Amino acid sequence: MKYTSIFFQYVAQYMKTRLTYRVDMVIEILSDLLFQAVNLIFILIVFGHTQLLGGWSRDEIIFIYGFFLVPFAIFGAFFNIWDFNERYIVKGEMDRILTRPIHSLFQIILERMELESLFGVFTGIGVMLYSASQLGLSFSWYDPFVFVVLVLGGVFVYAGIFVLLASISFWSDSPTSIMPMMYNIGNYGRYPVDIYNNVIRFVLTWILPFAFVGVYPSAYFLGREDWYGYAFLTPVMGLLFFGISVLVWNVGVTKYRGAGN
Amino acid sequence: MAKYIEMIRVRFLMMLAYRTNYYSGILIYSINIGAYYFLWTAIYGDKGSIEGMSVGQMTTYVAISWMARAFYFNNIDREIAQEIKEGKVAVEFIRPYHYLLMKMMQGLGEGIFRLSFFSVPGMLIVALIFPITFSVDVTTWLSFALAIIFSFIINTQINLLTGVLTFFFFNNAGLIQAKRVVIDLFSGLLIPISFFPMWAQDAMGFFPFQAISYIPSMIFTESFTGNEVMESLIFQGVWALLLIIPIQVLWVIAKKQLTVQGG
């Protein structure tokens, strides 16, 4: 209960600061939109030259991309911790966090919120609805609920990987550029993983399970029955990875010694 | 002149001090190249060539585009924006050099560092993993070298432009981000311009973006030959000259604005 009220207080505060600089917020949303459009244009141009991509049609690939945008937007809004090392470890901000009586990770998530990313949820749903109508997909009454569960699974997979990476900072405080690298690897999950070689597919499924953020859950809505097993594993993988990452984080915090003084 | 060369040297040494970051950079680029390699092989399927490019040329195109990017890419737009916001730029006006030229030289120092510690070793690693073909023709290499120098100039000029715009906008981060995304697509880094629909290719002819990535990569893969090489180098040269005008105009206006604020 305490956590919920703290959360909403932070959100309210965030809205206030954001609304003071409205132009900033609009430009940021527009540049997000531009980024999403560029990826879409890429897909459209590629399919100007081919009919199928490893057995997947243009509209199916667009659907996967649309799905990917939804968990990615939620992840971007709440787990914007790519500069954790620099900000909290090197600059010593972690000291301040640890004196507060709420969980350190929760506190950092609240501080680094970027709610305007959530706009990507609408883009993603729009893209999905468009391609679903092109593909003539039909949905059952329970599909929206499945969608929410799979999206949350994807968010937790993403969050788990990034929290794990941030935790590394507790053991080694030298700055690393692993974070941007992970953003790039995350992009692999936007395309059907069967176009990659088996090693990459294995890594994307079990080690850095980015495939669970895009292609696997989408397979459920696209009716690719041979991939249903993977699709339904999404929430399991999400909880598993996020659970492990919180455990590692908790151990890491005990190793934290503070910077400099 | 000596002071500008000193700028290049200082920035180069600065980068050398923080070089650990760049080892992981090589890995990032290899991963990117890997992703696009598999994607393009899937796109090609059993097609021999698309728009006159074989799958082998495409692999080389992807690899060289990313490696060239390490050379021409820099963050001076962000640096300028930062210095303007912090007011440091006022001090720069009284220093005995041209601020923008100095920034460009710092970018060059960074580019030379990345070229020698990043692109060259990175290219060797990538060539071991993926089937990349290197030309044996000396003219190809020379035209490529000239082309990436132009890439650097034009990309840096666009960075200067976006950086200087901070004088006129309150916060420029969104614009800088948007510019980056646009350049990735329209420079031909993600997809060769010849793959775009005809109308888009025509439209792109009026912008300098393809001079940044598409032209050097097409020269390197020998997809451009003879006259095409000459024409594209001239295209780059013309844009490099044209872009000086808006930069200079904005700079003069910006300087005046600053005096008013300082008054």
Side-chain angles (χ1 to χ4, degrees), chain B residues 15-72:
Chain B
M15 299 295 286
L16 203 60
Y18 293 103
R19 63 182 168 279
T20 37
N21 255 332
Y22 283 89
Y23 298 134
S24 43
I26 296 181
L27 209 58
I28 297 175
Y29 274 57
S30 308
I31 287 168
N32 262 325
I33 293 168
Y36 284 104
Y37 167 75
F38 286 112
L39 197 57
W40 282 111
T41 7
I43 292 164
Y44 269 79
D46 43 15
K47 277 194 272 302
S49 83
I50 300 179
E51 302 294 333
M53 277 175 101
S54 68
V55 71
Q57 275 179 317
M58 184 51 96
T59 312
T60 312
Y61 181 95
V62 170
I64 197 64
S65 307
W66 283 94
M67 288 307 166
R69 184 180 189 263
F71 173 67
Y72 67 71

Side-chain angles (χ1 to χ4, degrees), chain A residues 91, chain B residues 75-90 99 103 162-164 166-167 170-173 176:
Chain A
K91 286 194 182 151
Chain B
N75 280 317
I76 61 171
D77 45 358
R78 269 190 203 169
E79 285 174 26
I80 296 174
Q82 192 67 27
E83 284 174 6
I84 292 174
K85 263 199 268 180
E86 289 173 2
K88 280 186 190 156
V89 79
Y99 176 69
K103 276 284 153 211
T162 23
V164 171
T166 315
F167 274 113
F170 211 46
N171 190 342
N172 210 2
I176 290 175

Side-chain angles (χ1 to χ4, degrees), chain A:
Chain A
M1 209 44 232
K2 184 177 87 178
Y3 278 69
T4 338
S5 93
I6 292 175
F7 175 76
F8 283 109
Q9 278 168 20
Y10 262 93
V11 170
Q13 206 55 41
Y14 183 86
M15 298 302 268
K16 269 188 236 163
T17 52
R18 267 326 203 176
L19 289 174
T20 327
Y21 300 103
R22 259 174 233 139
V23 183
D24 264 17
M25 197 171 69
V26 171
I27 291 178
E28 236 152 88
I29 289 174
L30 285 181
S31 84
D32 271 1
L33 269 178
L34 196 65
F35 178 71
Q36 289 148 11
V38 162
N39 289 320
L40 212 53
I41 294 172
F42 181 83
I43 295 172
L44 292 177
I45 292 177
V46 160
F47 278 97
H49 299 279
T50 184
Q51 292 305 311
L52 290 173
L53 189 64
W56 299 70
S57 74
R58 185 184 86 163
D59 291 315
E60 285 176 312
I61 302 279
I62 292 179
F63 186 92
I64 297 173
Y65 180 56
F67 182 92
F68 163 85
L69 286 177
V70 179
F72 187 72
I74 301 174
F75 161 79
F78 296 107
F79 292 91
N80 182 26
I81 52 172
W82 56 273
D83 57 355
F84 171 73
N85 181 301
E86 226 170 85
R87 230 188 141 83
Y88 289 90
I89 304 288
V90 178
K91 286 194 182 151
E93 290 268 297
M94 198 64 197
D95 295 346
R96 177 174 55 80
I97 299 292
L98 289 176
T99 58
R100 309 264 168 91
I102 51 173
H103 193 269
S104 49
L105 181 60
F106 183 67
Q107 168 93 31
I108 288 168
I109 287 169
L110 290 179
E111 285 187 6
R112 305 296 294 135
M113 244 178 343
E114 286 225 1
L115 291 180
E116 55 269 34
S117 293
L118 286 177
F119 198 76
V121 171
F122 301 109
T123 332
I125 291 175
V127 169
M128 265 190 291
L129 288 178
Y130 162 80
S131 62
S133 75
Q134 293 294 103
L135 288 162
L137 295 182
S138 57
F139 298 108
S140 325
W141 62 268
Y142 52 80
D143 278 345
F145 299 101
V146 177
F147 176 72
V148 171
V149 171
L150 295 186
V151 163
L152 287 178
V155 173
F156 281 125
V157 165
Y158 239 104
I161 294 172
F162 278 82
V163 170
L164 272 175
L165 285 175
S167 306
I168 295 176
S169 314
F170 291 122
W171 281 274
S172 139
D173 56 4
S174 65
T176 54
S177 358
I178 298 182
M179 290 288 196
M181 187 163 84
M182 283 303 143
Y183 276 100
N184 291 316
I185 297 180
N187 283 341
Y188 277 72
R190 296 203 317 240
Y191 296 101
V193 281
D194 46 355
I195 67 169
Y196 302 121
N197 81 10
N198 283 331
V199 179
I200 296 182
R201 187 173 170 179
F202 182 84
V203 170
L204 288 175
T205 307
W206 303 115
I207 299 175
L208 299 167
F210 285 117
F212 287 101
V213 187
V215 60
Y216 287 150
S218 307
Y220 165 75
F221 298 103
L222 292 170
R224 294 259 172 170
E225 285 178 24
D226 42 334
W227 286 25
Y228 273 17
Y230 287 112
F232 294 129
L233 258 183
T234 307
V236 179
M237 289 300 276
L239 290 177
L240 189 71
F241 262 74
F242 191 66
I244 293 174
S245 76
V246 173
L247 285 179
V248 173
W249 176 277
N250 286 342
V251 175
V253 168
T254 64
K255 302 276 180 237
Y256 173 74
R257 280 207 208 90
N261 44 16

